[in-house]
Amino acid sequence: MKRFLLYFVAAVIVAPWIALGAQPALPAGKQSPTRQGKLVFVATTGLEDIGTLSSSFRHAKSAKESGYLSDVVWLTYGRAVVALDPTVKAVPEEVRKAAQEAKAAGVRLVACGHALQKFDIDPKKLQPQADVVDNGVAELARLVAEGYQVIRY
């Protein structure tokens, strides 16, 4: 019994030290996996669905902050462009804040020039600032061709 107790105490004391030394290290010259995934969040809903509009920004921000992706884009080619227009009083502060936070997290905001024209929005006054492309659908096609996965709102 004394011998068993001695072995047990020794194992309890030594085991943590052995475990620390046994953790595998990356082989020389090997790096941890790179961020390879790319997502584009496509927002087409407008003020008729504030919850969805707000979620599109919040989800894009979360995806960017996850650390798994090399790029995250929030793209609108429809009614959602009004979320970036500071003159539209019907856009709730929660949506504006979510857009600002997504941009601050590193999400690229992209707005369709045709949609901006249709809704008479000045591209220079977008808040937060966004990249403006001539045609949002053509930009989406380009992103998909580059390997982006699409999440639609």
Side-chain angles (χ1 to χ4, degrees):
M1 178 70 173
K2 288 182 183 180
R3 189 175 287 179
F4 171 76
L5 186 58
L6 179 62
Y7 288 134
F8 178 75
V9 170
V12 168
I13 293 171
V14 174
W17 293 102
I18 293 171
L20 284 175
Q23 291 184 5
L26 290 174
K30 266 282 205 192
Q31 296 179 352
S32 59
T34 58
R35 297 177 181 148
Q36 296 178 353
K38 299 183 279 188
L39 284 178
V40 56
F41 290 77
V42 180
T44 58
T45 190
L47 297 177
E48 72 279 359
D49 191 350
I50 295 299
T52 298
L53 189 55
S54 180
S55 292
S56 69
F57 288 115
R58 287 184 292 106
H59 295 166
K61 175 184 176 256
S62 293
K64 182 64 177 178
E65 290 176 339
S66 74
Y68 294 114
L69 304 169
S70 62
D71 195 24
V72 176
V73 176
W74 180 88
L75 168 68
T76 180
Y77 56 82
R79 298 178 307 274
V81 295
V82 299
L84 303 175
D85 185 352
T87 66
V88 177
K89 304 296 183 213
V91 177
E93 187 57 34
E94 75 177 70
V95 173
R96 294 191 192 285
K97 182 179 176 190
Q100 291 285 353
E101 289 175 354
K103 174 95 175 176
V107 174
R108 284 192 306 130
L109 305 181
V110 180
C112 173
H114 291 301
L116 293 173
Q117 281 181 316
K118 179 179 178 179
F119 293 99
D120 197 29
I121 299 171
D122 183 351
K124 294 176 185 159
K125 294 183 179 178
L126 298 179
Q127 288 298 321
Q129 278 297 308
D131 298 333
V132 177
V133 295
D134 288 336
N135 185 307
V137 175
E139 178 65 5
L140 177 59
R142 185 186 72 75
L143 292 171
V144 168
E146 287 186 12
Y148 285 72
Q149 298 296 312
V150 178
I151 297 179
R152 185 177 175 275
Y153 286 84

